[in-house]
Amino acid sequence: MPLKRAQEHHHISRDLELNPVFSREPVKVPRYALPKSEMEPETAYQLVHDELMLDGNARLNLATFVSTWAEPQALRLMGECAEKNMIDKDEYPQTAELETRCVHMLARLWNAPDAHRAVGCSTTGSSEAAMLGGLALKRRWQHRRAADGTTAKPNLVMGINVQICWEKFADYFDVEARYVPMEGERYHLSPEAAVELCDENTIGVVAVLGSTFDGSYEPVAELAAALDDLQERTGLDIPIHVDGASGAMIAPFLDPDLVWDFRLPRVASINTSGHKFGLVMPGVGWALWRDEQALPDDLVFHVNYLGGDMPTFALNFSRPGAQVVAQYYNFLRLGFDGYRRVQQTCRDVATRLAGKIAELGPFELVTDGSQTPVFAFRIRQGIDAFSVFDVSAALRERGWLVPAYTFPENRTDLAVLRIVARNGFSHDLADLLLADLKHVLERLEHQSGPQRSADDAGGFAHGAETKNPKRPGRH
């Protein structure tokens, strides 16, 4: 989450002022200190409610992958479980049972060789789940290297397009990050380039199923084949972790013939976000390992908590059970066919809107939404009146949050806009967006030149959770 420093607030000196309807006397409430005394609940609610009107409309936020709509029944269940602590499995055994059922459902969805032997857990999101997958890779490498007495630093190979959580993992857990750069029109890792970075200290290779930069799938099967060949030539046995934050809840339903999951013996673990295309409100993620051997037992803690022995592997301890219950509700409510129908609609909206935007003239597609329902587009060469950052700012005036950003090292020349077509972003809303885009283009085309650059994009353009402001977040 963003770090807020006290000096950032010094320019706001005025206290909050209470609406006179709520008090006969003028009442001022300090912004950054606890009030001296209590107030009526409705008064406190109104103060908070009024400030939150300044937030954007979540349904019009086409930057985020996170679900912004849920059925009333799912929200009701979440409200009924708001007080349940997910870690108290002995106190809330049925919530724990629903978590177990979700793990088994995902294990079957991702073609685990034996779903009963697959190991998994819920997390606060796919970033925590990814870090758990990375920790398991590191510990397995430590076990393999223990007999050698090595003091070498472990490394993890991945594309430069990975989400910021992998940079955090490498930094926090002392692992060298080896990034496959983008080259030309290749916007993620290639198997050949990844293998070249591997050595005896490589704990694994991360493959992304649904890049946050452009929505594309990385070639997991081809990567596995290249690592098979590497093992045959050198004896190095390097596992794969699939970061399926988005795509792991798309591909099983829409791309059943795509081999990316536990059907590949080299895939040791997979993570996904339940609160993205899993269709749950934030935050819940899932981490699964193909079997017990893929998750070293010495990473699992056995906690005597509230009267029961509880095995746990997580970075967080106390966290809500409501989202896990909502995930089970969605699995039960929609089933395979329901998820397939919802995800197909998302993809149809994405591909149709991408095609309409490409027809406008000033834009050309980088991707078209035919993998994850996400697409990126750039301004054509020869269009000099405006930048993607101008387009993003103009759309924001109409209420739409459409991120603009540059690609990373080796392709920092490429600046794009990106749209995520989530459940709830309908064809009708897409038509409204298209109409507003046409409207703002009429103004932008009369500019003498671009008015905004990447430096003007601010946190809105994905800089909120990264050391590098040019790398998009997964929020």
Side-chain angles (χ1 to χ4, degrees), residues 51 55 90 112 242 296 302 343 456 461:
E51 287 214 58
D55 277 346
D90 199 55
V242 177
H302 293 269
Q343 313 301 38
D456 303 312

Side-chain angles (χ1 to χ4, degrees), residues 125-374:
S126 58
S127 292
E128 181 190 0
M131 290 195 188
L132 296 181
L135 282 170
L137 293 176
K138 181 180 179 182
R139 186 58 57 89
R140 289 176 64 190
W141 171 84
Q142 288 173 324
H143 289 172
R144 293 195 303 269
R145 300 288 285 163
D148 303 338
T150 182
T151 58
K153 185 173 182 176
N155 65 75
L156 182 66
V157 174
M158 48 197 158
I160 191 68
N161 58 299
V162 291
Q163 201 266 350
I164 189 63
C165 72
W166 290 106
E167 185 177 338
K168 286 185 174 182
F169 166 76
D171 191 14
Y172 295 168
F173 296 103
D174 198 27
V175 173
E176 177 193 353
R178 294 185 175 179
Y179 295 112
V180 176
M182 293 182 178
E183 296 291 347
E185 300 302 303
R186 175 176 60 76
Y187 304 127
H188 50 230
L189 64 73
S190 72
E192 299 77 18
V195 166
E196 287 179 5
L197 295 178
C198 294
D199 59 26
E200 66 276 9
N201 297 313
T202 301
I203 64 175
V205 180
V206 176
V208 180
L209 201 72
S211 171
T212 57
F213 278 93
D214 61 7
S216 62
Y217 294 158
E218 291 192 325
V220 186
E222 290 85 345
L223 175 62
L227 290 171
D228 288 343
D229 177 69
L230 178 69
Q231 183 177 7
E232 191 173 318
R233 290 186 287 105
T234 67
L236 295 176
D237 184 8
I238 298 173
I240 293 173
H241 175 90
V242 177
D243 183 348
S246 298
M249 292 303 294
I250 295 292
F253 304 106
L254 302 186
D255 308 299
D257 296 329
L258 180 69
V259 180
W260 63 273
D261 51 20
F262 290 127
R263 285 171 288 183
L264 298 168
R266 198 163 290 279
V267 172
S269 49
I270 301 171
N271 70 272
T272 197
S273 283
H275 60 233
K276 294 189 176 71
F277 290 100
L279 308 182
V280 179
M281 288 292 191
V284 61
W286 299 93
L288 266 71
W289 292 264
R290 66 182 304 114
D291 51 33
E292 296 94 334
Q293 285 69 44
L295 176 59
D297 187 63
D298 55 351
L299 281 176
V300 179
F301 286 80
H302 293 269
V303 182
N304 185 352
Y305 189 64
L306 297 180
D309 178 72
M310 179 196 65
T312 176
F313 178 41
L315 299 180
N316 289 290
F317 202 65
S318 295
R319 57 186 174 85
Q323 287 85 352
V324 170
V325 171
Q327 184 74 84
Y328 181 70
Y329 166 82
N330 277 338
F331 285 167
L332 199 66
R333 160 79 172 87
L334 292 171
F336 187 92
D337 286 342
Y339 264 93
R340 180 189 51 76
R341 180 173 49 82
V342 170
Q343 313 301 38
Q344 185 64 59
T345 300
C346 292
R347 182 179 280 180
D348 289 346
V349 170
T351 54
R352 175 177 170 272
L353 180 58
K356 293 290 185 182
I357 288 175
E359 292 172 1
L360 291 180
F363 305 111
E364 62 181 355
L365 299 178
V366 174
T367 48
D368 64 359
S370 60
Q371 294 185 328
T372 50
V374 177

Side-chain angles (χ1 to χ4, degrees), residues 16 45 71 156 226 245 353 369 376 388 420 450:
L16 298 172
Y45 167 83
E71 290 183 300
L156 182 66
L353 180 58
V388 293
V420 180

Side-chain angles (χ1 to χ4, degrees), residues 379-411:
I379 294 174
R380 294 184 183 276
Q381 285 190 345
I383 304 295
D384 301 321
F386 56 89
S387 67
V388 293
F389 307 100
D390 291 329
V391 176
S392 178
L395 286 174
R396 193 166 195 178
E397 294 171 6
R398 309 283 294 181
W400 301 103
L401 306 184
V402 178
Y405 51 89
T406 57
F407 273 39
E409 186 179 353
N410 284 19
R411 285 311 315 265

